[in-house]
Amino acid sequence: MKLTLYAVGTKMPAWVTQGFNEYARRFPRDLSFNLVEICAGKRGKNADIARILEKEGEQLLAAIPKGSHIVTLEVEGKPWTTPQLAQQLERWQLDGRDVALLVGGPEGLAPACIKASAQKWSLSPLTLPHPMVRILIGESLYRAWSINNNHPYHRE
């Protein structure tokens, strides 16, 4: 099974790339964790935000392999504790399908992405900076994996 984070936005600061890569490399071969970046639409004074969101959504959905289990990250999603996330990760692994985690741009995700999702996950009721979300997802999923595999990381 593969976990893939599909995120709108490119050219992240070095600390974001470094942080994400640190957690991604810790995952075992049978549960890889990857990142696919989608270019954000150009936002200006008179930008058509609805059209930009729609295009970003189309690009996100086109990048996801058919049959993947889609999970959108949204403020209105279901908050999971770390033990609940560990249980969720175990369910995903038993299901056997690849998991696509979607993070939108500054205005969130396109309605088409939300409609395509099987689950909605909220990291926090706060709106978090999108670069930081990448690292939080990586750390949270790695901690969940470590709990499921009795790895000492989760006791640190």
Side-chain angles (χ1 to χ4, degrees):
M1 183 188 103
K2 292 180 193 170
L3 293 168
T4 305
L5 177 61
Y6 295 85
V8 173
T10 56
K11 299 179 185 163
M12 292 292 124
W15 64 269
V16 174
T17 303
Q18 192 174 18
F20 179 87
N21 289 341
E22 176 60 30
Y23 290 106
R25 75 168 182 78
R26 294 181 184 198
F27 280 84
R29 289 181 188 208
D30 63 338
L31 181 63
S32 64
F33 183 48
N34 304 294
L35 172 66
V36 173
E37 294 180 318
I38 303 297
C39 289
K42 189 162 176 84
R43 288 155 169 83
K45 280 187 178 182
N46 299 319
D48 183 350
I49 298 301
R51 178 67 190 127
I52 291 170
L53 269 179
E54 183 182 336
K55 184 159 176 56
E56 290 171 351
E58 289 169 1
Q59 291 176 313
L60 282 166
L61 294 173
I64 300 168
K66 289 205 184 312
S68 294
H69 180 83
I70 299 174
V71 180
T72 51
L73 280 102
E74 307 175 46
V75 172
E76 297 84 22
K78 183 174 174 57
W80 292 323
T81 64
T82 299
Q84 288 171 330
L85 179 58
Q87 290 173 343
Q88 189 58 63
L89 179 59
E90 194 169 50
R91 281 189 217 111
W92 293 338
Q93 287 180 285
L94 290 171
D95 180 57
R97 291 182 291 164
D98 291 341
V99 175
L101 302 151
L102 277 57
V103 174
E107 292 83 20
L109 287 163
C113 293
I114 294 166
K115 186 176 179 185
S117 71
Q119 289 178 290
K120 295 167 180 50
W121 175 21
S122 174
L123 292 175
S124 168
L126 299 171
T127 300
L128 300 170
H130 290 248
M132 192 174 291
V133 165
R134 295 176 185 206
I135 298 169
L136 289 173
I137 292 169
E139 195 284 334
S140 298
L141 288 169
Y142 181 71
R143 184 174 298 275
W145 173 86
S146 71
I147 288 169
N148 291 344
N149 290 277
N150 202 26
H151 187 278
Y153 177 81
H154 76 280
R155 294 186 294 268
E156 291 178 0

